[in-house]
Amino acid sequence: MTDTDKDRVVIFDTTLRDGEQSPGATMTHAEKLEIAGLLDEMGVDIIEAGFPIASDGDFNAVSEIAKNSQNSVICGLARANFKDIDRCWEAVQHAKRPRIHTFIGTSPLHRAIPNLTQDEMADKIHDTVSHARNLCDNVQWSPMDATRTEWDYLARVVEIAIKAGATTINIPDTVGYTAPVESADLIRRLIEEVPGADEVVFATHCHNDLGMATANALAAVAGGARQIECTINGLGERAGNTALEEVVMAMKVRSDIMPFYTEIDATKLMHISRRVATVSGFNVQFNKAIVGKNAFAHESGIHQDGMLKNAETFEIMRPEDVGLTETNIVMGKHSGRAALRSKLSDLGIELADNQLNDVFVRFKELADRKKEVFDDDLIALVTAGENAEEDRLILKSLRVVCGTSGQAEAEMVMTIDGVEKTAAEQGDGPVDATFKAVRELHPNTAHLSLYQVHAVTEGTDAQATVSVRLEEDGNIATGQSADTDTVVASAKAYINALNRLLVRRDKVGQDQREISYKDVS
């Protein structure tokens, strides 16, 4: 290995596996393939595409991603048993470069779940890693909850996994418990003290429960880890995972104290961040590092004055470094199809001719209602119409009348499986009345667990983006839509979430996540 190789950090993205485990973040098959393609194009070294044994849907997605991958290693997750590992191999074997990732919980708390002694678990680790290696020459092994595992036992099982054929040893901070100094020290000790450690790659997988996931991952790299497991936007269980965009840009900007590099094309970060936010239904907080809406915004007079004189006074990165266009050219009702295509291309959005035609029609409709159509309006416009051809429930028209007493009446026309139906309902405000009309037309027991509204751009004619999260019979679905009319956006988002629930209902037995893999790392 050259000195340059030693400085390279491999990026392992688990947005499609750990990220998708976020309640409500489940993606459709087409969305998974799209995100995998974007990750591949961006230069992600390893894509953990899913948990093949969890469901037929997961298996098919991993298998399809493996077949379509161009550059990335495609990895699947498997518990420490032959059935899981075999199923994983079935899915990833189609990839140009497949990987099996198998794990078992090694801390005292996790050993108690299968009720295994230390010796019994050690034997299981040897047998399952050996089995995986007999199938695939690229095997990753993880001791789940490693940071709360006794040092002597952790060192012992890491050595066993290496001898059994693991090529990557991942050290997960499964519950986000550790601190940076501990993260660095743990990796360093393992590399220095475990026989054979110099023959494998050590990886770090951090959760953000205490807000230290990025710091812990970078500390692990300083300690000798050369693979970071992360997700786009930090998506993941509970408080999420290490954010890919944060570690990539931290090493890029602060190479003076972190002399490491990745093969990630950082100019694609903003686009993929927006896409993951849209398909998962998890909006990026405005002050999120690197990809948040305010990450490059300056309101303070002192800051604005400094920026006008020299951008470096208050910006350590250029917006274009992460794919954020400096210009915000306004589109209007006189803009043509070619201008729209060019503008969308500048925003990192490439559409086929039929897709462009559909977006162009909706762009013209929006331009008639808005004097100026900004970048964020266009992004919301593109994402709002996705997967409409697959929807069983489609809003045709909505009329809402509000009274001074707070009562409102909603008259709705909706197409359900091709049949047009009409309902009128009263409610405590326009949104309540609208949602009641939807339930009248499509009776359901889904519980509304999230209703969120934010303006896409400024002004009274701004588009509102509405996110709705529904829970029904253990299934969670998130819907999102944008419109200059907040009530219309609310109706579309609610119906979008119901359509996603219907997809899951049609796949009962496939998408049920009842396998005990919560907090898997």
Side-chain angles (χ1 to χ4, degrees), residues 471-485:
E471 300 181 20
E472 183 181 48
D473 299 330
N475 289 318
I476 302 174
T478 302
Q480 194 174 68
S481 189
D483 198 276
T484 53
D485 188 318

Side-chain angles (χ1 to χ4, degrees), residues 421-436:
K421 297 184 178 181
T422 305
E425 290 290 326
Q426 292 185 336
D428 185 14
V431 174
D432 184 48
T434 297
F435 285 8
K436 284 182 177 177

Side-chain angles (χ1 to χ4, degrees), residues 241-384:
N241 293 276
T242 301
L244 181 149
E245 61 276 6
E246 292 178 10
V247 292
V248 166
M249 293 309 295
M251 288 184 283
K252 189 178 180 70
V253 173
R254 294 307 312 274
S255 59
D256 55 327
I257 61 171
M258 291 180 283
F260 312 110
Y261 72 97
T262 73
E263 295 291 345
I264 296 296
D265 180 354
T267 63
K268 298 183 183 296
L269 287 173
M270 190 61 70
H271 176 53
I272 195 168
S273 168
R274 288 167 170 165
R275 290 301 298 138
V276 169
T278 298
V279 302
S280 68
F282 280 59
N283 292 322
V284 177
Q285 65 192 60
F286 281 17
N287 62 337
K288 167 75 174 64
I290 315 300
V291 293
K293 187 174 183 178
N294 289 350
F296 294 94
H298 304 273
E299 185 169 332
S300 161
I302 295 174
H303 284 221
Q304 290 175 342
D305 181 63
M307 285 294 296
L308 290 171
K309 294 174 180 175
N310 184 349
E312 292 183 2
T313 54
F314 289 105
E315 281 188 355
I316 58 174
M317 299 168 282
R318 298 177 305 164
E320 55 267 34
D321 290 342
V322 297
L324 185 65
T325 54
E326 285 190 295
T327 59
N328 192 15
I329 298 174
V330 179
M331 301 285 288
K333 62 182 180 180
H334 298 298
S335 300
R337 189 178 273 98
L340 177 62
R341 182 189 290 277
S342 176
K343 183 59 181 174
L344 291 174
S345 180
D346 289 342
L347 295 172
I349 301 170
E350 302 293 341
L351 299 177
D353 288 343
N354 60 331
Q355 293 173 308
L356 180 68
N357 290 337
D358 175 64
V359 171
F360 185 69
V361 170
R362 289 186 285 117
F363 161 70
K364 285 293 189 178
E365 293 172 353
L366 179 62
D368 283 336
R369 288 180 284 159
K370 285 196 68 175
K371 182 179 179 181
E372 299 174 326
V373 180
F374 295 95
D375 292 358
D376 287 339
D377 288 314
L378 292 175
I379 293 167
L381 190 70
V382 170
T383 56

